[in-house]
Amino acid sequence: MDEANLPTLRAACTGRDCRFHGLLTIEELQGGEVSLPDLLARARRVLDAFGGTIDAITGYWDFPVSTMVPILAREYGTRATDLASIVKCEHKYWSRLEQRAAAPEAVPAFGRVELDAEEPELPDGLSYPLWLKPALSYSSELAFGVKDRHGFRAAVQEIRAGIGRIGRPFESVMEQLELPPEMAEVGSLVCLAEESLTGIQVAVEGYVHQGEVTIYGVLDSINYPDSSSFLRHQYPSMLPPPVVRRLHDVSARVMRRIGMEGATFSIEFFYDPGTEAVRILEINPRHSQAHAELFAFVDGVPNHHCMLALARGEDPRMPHGEGRYTMAAKWYYRWFADGVVRDVPGREQLDRIERDIPGVRVDVAPRERQRLSDLPQQDSYSYELAHIFTGGDSEEELREKYDRCVAALDLSFEGTAPAPGRQPESA
């Protein structure tokens, strides 16, 4: 649990009569080398020492949180989906195999890259440009867009050096599962090459309750110009209804195949208006906490409500269109060079910004005098300075509120320079 999400959890319909207890901190869970056995032991000590009843154990972060929830739920008698269904989403290679079995028309070309080879080669059927990524990572860590052989080699070197941070801890998870033949010898230190997707990026959010797949929202994901880094998520999607229905259909088929039950999910897609192709980018076995404010602005309830209801064995029955605004956005205020941040606003200044601009919430990522390259979990091309949530009745209103917030933050930097491995891109 983190402080930024606690008010949102309490505001959810299901959260109003709950007491929330943090189990482990983000620093414990995601800092440095991850040891799943150590983290589980720490969590068990906290749970065993708790004097009250443990009615639910849940979370909205990627590995290791996503895999710890079903393991602890099994031990402490709370509700969660099966561990195998989580791994089928998070292990990108296994996930592609499951996606291909359920919805082959929605899966891009992909293949494994042999990192142990002296000169790794592209898998058969793939050509440049493409994406190279570990089978296990979070926040696009070690994911690289590759345009040629030189870029391929450079990306392989970086992935080789960093793949173990998440891949090795995941081995203990894989050992707990009965793997199908096609996964028996794959392991967790796997690198994928995938066809480069183009078009409009969208996210589909839903849940599975008593075997029924429910989609409660589709959001557009808009990147910075000439960049693979998000500028904003916008809800609801502006795609035509027939395309949205296709996204619903593919999502339902894939999640039924994966076997998730009593849990939320988020699937990222690309829709190409020219070819009308729908392609899956990745599946997350959790709802996106990054979208919670957007659902609250538009539907009147944050999507945390679904996670909490399912953890209690209830049907979420998410409302629609009952919020203050007709649309909402989460903006990623980014910097595409390294540097030291100065004049970071405190909570009092942020509260003033939120009072002066109705329908906004602002979270700043760096601390005063922090170097951007020391920020955790950034993508391979930029650094996140702030998350700015805006609600409004038009795209123009959303952008106007964002621009006002950026100006009010008035962040400044010193010693700016392109970071190693990052190329400055226009915003």
Side-chain angles (χ1 to χ4, degrees), residues 143-158:
F144 297 95
V146 175
K147 298 178 181 177
D148 51 33
R149 179 68 178 171
H150 174 75
F152 177 83
R153 288 175 174 172
V156 164
Q157 287 183 343
E158 291 211 41

Side-chain angles (χ1 to χ4, degrees), residues 3 58 74 160 291 365 401:
E3 289 302 315
T58 193
R74 184 176 63 239
R160 274 175 173 166
H291 300 157
K401 288 181 177 180

Side-chain angles (χ1 to χ4, degrees), residues 113-117 119-122 128-135 140-164 190-194 380-381 420-422:
V113 176
E114 299 298 335
L115 292 177
D116 292 336
E119 282 291 332
E121 299 292 338
L122 285 185
Y128 302 110
L130 52 80
W131 278 89
L132 211 60
K133 60 185 73 172
S140 300
E141 188 175 307
L142 295 178
F144 297 95
V146 175
K147 298 178 181 177
D148 51 33
R149 179 68 178 171
H150 174 75
F152 177 83
R153 288 175 174 172
V156 164
Q157 287 183 343
E158 291 211 41
I159 292 172
R160 274 175 173 166
I163 194 172
V190 182
C191 178
L192 270 75
E194 296 188 342
S380 300
Y381 301 98
R422 285 176 162 85

Side-chain angles (χ1 to χ4, degrees), residues 281-300:
L281 178 59
E282 66 178 18
I283 304 175
N284 298 302
R286 51 158 180 79
H287 74 289
S288 176
Q289 52 93 10
H291 300 157
E293 300 286 349
L294 310 190
F295 286 99
F297 278 146
V298 175
D299 295 327

Side-chain angles (χ1 to χ4, degrees), residues 108-400:
F110 69 96
R112 291 161 53 193
V113 176
E114 299 298 335
L115 292 177
D116 292 336
E118 186 173 339
E119 282 291 332
E121 299 292 338
L122 285 185
D124 291 342
L126 284 168
S127 59
Y128 302 110
L130 52 80
W131 278 89
L132 211 60
K133 60 185 73 172
L136 295 152
S137 66
Y138 33 58
S139 297
S140 300
E141 188 175 307
L142 295 178
F144 297 95
V146 175
K147 298 178 181 177
D148 51 33
R149 179 68 178 171
H150 174 75
F152 177 83
R153 288 175 174 172
V156 164
Q157 287 183 343
E158 291 211 41
I159 292 172
R160 274 175 173 166
I163 194 172
R165 189 175 88 83
I166 303 301
R168 288 194 184 92
F170 211 86
E171 289 174 352
S172 63
V173 178
M174 302 285 284
E175 290 168 359
Q176 299 182 44
L177 303 176
E178 184 176 341
L179 300 174
E182 62 269 23
M183 286 296 300
E185 303 300 325
V186 172
S188 57
L189 300 177
V190 182
C191 178
L192 270 75
E194 296 188 342
E195 174 188 353
S196 184
L197 299 176
T198 58
I200 299 168
Q201 191 168 347
V202 294
V204 173
E205 292 225 359
Y207 61 85
V208 187
H209 177 64
Q210 297 182 351
E212 182 178 348
V213 180
T214 297
I215 306 300
Y216 60 80
V218 179
L219 307 90
D220 294 330
S221 299
I222 296 106
N223 290 345
Y224 278 76
D226 303 317
S227 169
S228 59
S229 299
F230 288 134
L231 171 61
R232 72 182 186 273
H233 301 299
Q234 186 168 306
Y235 176 65
S237 172
M238 303 294 282
L239 288 176
V243 177
V244 172
R245 286 195 292 271
R246 289 174 60 198
L247 294 171
H248 282 223
D249 172 62
V250 172
S251 300
R253 279 189 278 151
V254 170
M255 298 317 295
R256 281 195 293 266
R257 166 77 188 188
I258 285 172
M260 181 171 280
E261 172 55 51
T264 58
F265 63 85
S266 176
I267 307 180
E268 295 180 40
F269 286 88
F270 272 93
Y271 167 66
D272 188 331
T275 64
E276 297 189 350
V278 165
R279 297 285 187 271
I280 299 170
L281 178 59
E282 66 178 18
I283 304 175
N284 298 302
R286 51 158 180 79
H287 74 289
S288 176
Q289 52 93 10
H291 300 157
E293 300 286 349
L294 310 190
F295 286 99
F297 278 146
V298 175
D299 295 327
V301 176
N303 57 356
H304 289 343
H305 163 72
C306 299
M307 175 190 73
L308 297 175
L310 291 166
R312 291 168 46 145
E314 303 167 1
D315 187 340
R317 297 196 187 99
M318 191 78 167
H320 290 280
E322 297 181 14
R324 165 66 181 80
Y325 301 100
T326 57
M327 60 178 57
K330 177 184 180 179
W331 301 80
Y332 294 81
Y333 178 24
R334 298 181 184 271
W335 204 250
F336 290 84
D338 199 5
V340 176
V341 188
R342 294 192 293 112
D343 304 320
V344 175
R347 189 65 252 174
E348 184 177 335
Q349 183 178 345
L350 296 178
D351 288 342
R352 186 166 58 252
I353 292 172
E354 293 173 2
R355 286 195 303 270
D356 292 344
I357 312 172
V360 306
R361 189 171 76 78
V362 184
D363 293 324
V364 176
R367 302 183 306 274
E368 179 74 22
R369 309 297 303 174
Q370 184 174 19
R371 179 164 289 280
L372 293 176
S373 55
D374 292 336
L375 288 169
Q377 297 178 42
Q378 303 299 302
D379 68 24
S380 300
Y381 301 98
S382 68
Y383 304 103
E384 295 176 10
L385 302 180
H387 298 156
I388 299 173
F389 302 86
T390 62
D393 295 322
S394 66
E395 286 193 356
E396 291 76 15
E397 185 179 349
L398 298 179
R399 180 173 290 279
E400 185 265 341

Side-chain angles (χ1 to χ4, degrees), residues 66-94:
S66 55
T67 52
M68 292 177 69
V69 168
I71 292 171
L72 293 172
R74 184 176 63 239
E75 296 176 9
Y76 288 86
T78 60
R79 301 171 186 84
T81 190
D82 182 75
L83 178 61
S85 68
I86 297 289
V87 178
K88 288 177 184 178
C89 295
E90 288 210 319
H91 192 295
K92 290 182 173 61
Y93 181 70
W94 195 356

